[in-house]
Amino acid sequence: MPSLNVSFTDEELEGVRVAAAAEGKSLKQYLHDLGVREHQRKQFVAGALDWGDRLRQEFDEAFPAEIPPRRRSGGPGGGAAAA
């Protein structure tokens, strides 16, 4: 199985050890899980953005008052100025 050596300052390593202990994990397991969690988070965010983009037109048609001013027609300011 591939492995990785990671360098930390003494202060950084102590902080990571404290965080691992707080989760009841070994340092190795904590760092493994941290990397996997971040990868999964990025995949989730990308999927959520794609989903939102796919449904944006339908939502805008159903709720026109909720369209952010920068996306409304009428130029960069978003149309008529508020009184």
Side-chain angles (χ1 to χ4, degrees), residues 46-62:
L49 290 171
D50 288 345
W51 179 78
D53 288 343
R54 284 194 314 271
L55 296 177
R56 185 176 322 278
Q57 183 176 352
E58 182 180 342
F59 183 87
D60 289 350
E61 290 169 1

Side-chain angles (χ1 to χ4, degrees), residues 4-21:
L4 176 68
N5 290 325
V6 181
S7 299
F8 293 97
T9 65
D10 291 340
E11 294 82 17
E12 291 170 337
L13 185 56
E14 183 56 30
V16 174
R17 280 189 175 129
V18 168

